[in-house]
Amino acid sequence: MFEQLRPILPTSADAPDGELRLGGVPVTELARAYGTPVIAYDGAHLEATARAWIDAFASHPAGATVAYATKAFSSVGMLRLLGDLGLGADVSSLGELQVALRAGIAPELIIMHGNNKSRAELEAGVEAGVGLVVVDAEQELDLLENVLHVADATQAVLVRVNPDIEVETHRYISTSHAGSKFGVTSDVAATLLERAAASDRFDVRGVHVHLGSQLLDADPWRRVIAWLAGWARELHDRTGVVIHTLDVGGGLGIAYVEDQVPPTPAAIAAVVRDALSESWQAAGLELPHLVLEPGRSMVGQAAVTLYTVGVVKQTGDDDIRYVNVDGGMSDNPRPTLYQARYRALLAERVHDAADAAWWVAGVHCESGDVLIEDAPLPTPRPGELLAIPATGAYAASMASNYNLVPRCAVVLVENGTHRPLVRRETLDELLARDVDAMVAST
Ligand SMILES: Cc1ncc(COP(=O)(O)O)c(C=O)c1O
């Protein structure tokens, strides 16, 4: 099992005695220290991935900013680690902005997103001095202009354009098709850029596109740059607006199961470079400063979630084999939301051969709370640890308290040591907003 799943595990994972270790720490030690479920990030894997992204674009002649998309998972410790390596941050809420600022990310490396930004969010972004606000709608341009007028400030902006490009991914995480709630059509984008350029409150830097998420093919980046080149040429000729900055968003996928093989950041960089020379420069445009916003590909494969096995049973006409674990859709909603696929390991005996396909079910009161429907495993034993790899993105950050379960701990492992990034929620914290519960306990 271990060798077969090697490609989807963090790089530091090993199992010299049959027990999975992450960053040199045996998983039983993590379970003892933090309880289960627990999400463990491999620090070495994170650092290597961040460097791979930075190195891939380091030679771009007009410069490149790699801004980690904090929605994938954010904590101050995680952002400090990534920020120290030179990454900026893509934020889309007051919470994400706060975490990025507290982690010490330079405001000029913070990019503010959102398809429905509130006045409070825009004010906070302007006050913090964020590097870019990505305008998502005409109404938002008006609101931001008013915020800037009141603050007597100026702001560098991009406009999010919807390129109307279909990509291969789950429809809930595809964002660049016509009719998506994100961004504006190319015609409206041109109008907004022209309008912003006419206002002394805006420093118009360029455009943003985000194709979708979990893309396993680099071709959409080539297609979108080719399309943008024609559009930018026409925009410039008609209005004089220059695209100085081209933000091509995030979207690179990861391997959740062994048969998925995503391109590397270097492969994406090569496609972007070729597309820029074939279409952008060919259209007579100056090379733009690039912005990349990797989220999933930055942190997704760096983490493993550990659960404790509970009830093991077979049921139904098909004799489905269920292994129930002590978490589920509350710590990882992706299988329920997008039918996302995962693999699992019995973490204390990773070299044992699988004897059947198991359904890994969560504790929640939904039949859809099944993390995996076809996990090849040896027969699980109650009380042992089950590990699900590749849970670093959009799991903890989408966690809920469904069934009033406390959210799990998130930890960092490196060089044989471990430390919490986010500690487990307590029952008191869980009830802290329930006004009557707090009155009753005093
Ligand atoms: C604007 C924007 N940038 C970046 C990302 C990160 O995408 P991914 O995690 O697929 O890299 C997203 C994800 O939704 C996004 O909406």
Side-chain angles (χ1 to χ4, degrees):
M1 292 290 298
F2 181 77
E3 285 315 318
Q4 190 189 337
L5 298 188
R6 192 85 207 66
I8 63 169
L9 282 160
T11 42
S12 77
D14 64 0
D17 307 316
E19 175 177 346
L20 181 64
R21 297 192 317 178
L22 300 167
V25 181
V27 286
T28 46
E29 189 177 326
L30 296 174
R32 250 193 319 274
Y34 304 102
T36 55
V38 57
I39 300 177
Y41 281 90
D42 175 359
H45 191 114
L46 287 170
E47 283 166 32
T49 311
R51 285 189 209 288
W53 269 107
I54 290 171
D55 292 351
F57 287 90
S59 62
H60 179 61
T65 304
V66 182
Y68 167 56
T70 63
K71 67 207 81 181
F73 170 70
S74 55
S75 77
V76 172
M78 168 72 78
L79 290 193
R80 207 169 270 154
L81 186 156
L82 297 176
D84 285 350
L85 296 168
L87 298 187
D90 143 3
V91 303
S92 43
S93 70
L94 282 178
E96 289 178 357
L97 175 63
Q98 265 300 308
V99 172
L101 292 172
R102 287 185 196 204
I105 303 273
E108 59 271 22
L109 292 181
I110 296 179
I111 303 170
M112 198 162 191
H113 279 287
N115 61 302
N116 187 24
K117 299 178 198 70
S118 66
R119 182 174 193 102
E121 284 168 335
L122 292 171
E123 284 171 347
V126 168
E127 196 188 336
V130 299
L132 288 167
V133 172
V134 182
V135 174
D136 202 271
E138 183 165 14
Q139 199 180 315
E140 184 188 320
L141 193 72
D142 296 336
L143 182 59
L144 180 57
E145 191 168 22
N146 184 264
V147 166
L148 292 166
H149 176 72
V150 172
D152 192 18
T154 56
Q155 177 64 54
V157 292
L158 304 179
V159 168
R160 179 166 181 164
V161 60
N162 182 332
D164 189 10
I165 282 180
E166 293 287 337
V167 294
E168 217 175 293
T169 191
H170 191 281
R171 73 186 181 94
Y172 288 180
I173 50 175
S174 161
T175 53
S176 53
H177 53 285
S180 154
K181 72 170 182 170
F182 298 102
V184 292
T185 62
S186 53
D187 288 348
V188 175
T191 308
L192 296 191
L193 287 165
E194 200 178 348
R195 253 196 59 198
S199 159
D200 55 7
R201 294 288 167 199
F202 297 114
D203 170 15
V204 175
R205 302 309 304 159
V207 279
H208 164 90
V209 285
H210 173 67
L211 295 157
S213 201
Q214 183 54 11
L215 306 183
L216 295 172
D217 170 15
D219 195 55
W221 279 276
R222 184 194 57 74
R223 284 191 282 143
V224 81
I225 290 172
W227 174 80
L228 279 166
W231 176 80
R233 178 76 258 170
E234 204 268 324
L235 175 78
H236 178 258
D237 293 347
R238 199 170 47 76
T239 67
V241 172
V242 176
I243 302 300
H244 302 285
T245 295
L246 176 56
D247 181 341
V248 291
L252 178 59
I254 61 166
Y256 287 98
V257 295
E258 323 79 276
D259 59 11
Q260 291 172 320
V261 185
T264 59
I268 298 292
V271 166
V272 168
R273 189 182 52 237
D274 290 351
L276 284 173
S277 73
E278 278 160 24
S279 45
W280 199 271
Q281 287 180 297
L285 298 163
E286 290 281 307
L287 274 180
H289 178 85
L290 286 173
V291 180
L292 297 307
E293 299 171 342
R296 187 188 309 274
S297 62
M298 189 67 74
V299 296
Q301 244 172 305
V304 167
T305 305
L306 300 172
Y307 300 95
T308 300
V309 169
V311 169
V312 177
K313 68 178 178 191
Q314 272 179 256
T315 187
D317 292 342
D318 299 333
D319 252 357
I320 295 174
R321 292 175 158 84
Y322 277 104
V323 48
N324 291 269
V325 294
D326 56 353
M329 62 189 287
S330 58
D331 57 81
N332 186 356
R334 296 190 63 258
T336 315
L337 271 178
Y338 324 120
Q339 296 78 49
R341 293 168 69 205
Y342 284 95
R343 289 284 186 250
L345 290 159
L346 292 179
E348 293 161 80
R349 47 192 182 106
V350 298
H351 300 305
D352 287 11
D355 54 26
W358 290 80
W359 288 41
V360 180
V363 287
H364 297 285
C365 303
E366 295 269 323
S367 290
D369 178 30
V370 171
L371 292 166
I372 312 176
E373 286 189 3
D374 56 355
L377 289 172
T379 302
R381 301 172 192 141
E384 70 176 323
L385 293 175
L386 181 141
I388 298 191
T391 54
Y394 306 106
S397 65
M398 286 183 152
S400 75
N401 291 120
Y402 179 40
N403 287 132
L404 284 183
V405 297
R407 280 168 295 182
C408 70
V410 182
V411 307
L412 185 71
V413 291
E414 197 162 23
N415 300 325
T417 63
H418 52 89
R419 74 172 185 90
L421 291 174
V422 183
R423 60 170 174 70
R424 181 174 303 284
E425 200 166 27
T426 65
L427 279 176
D428 275 346
E429 284 167 337
L430 192 60
L431 296 180
R433 294 184 310 125
D434 182 329
V435 177
D436 296 300
M438 296 323 284
V439 169
S441 71
T442 54

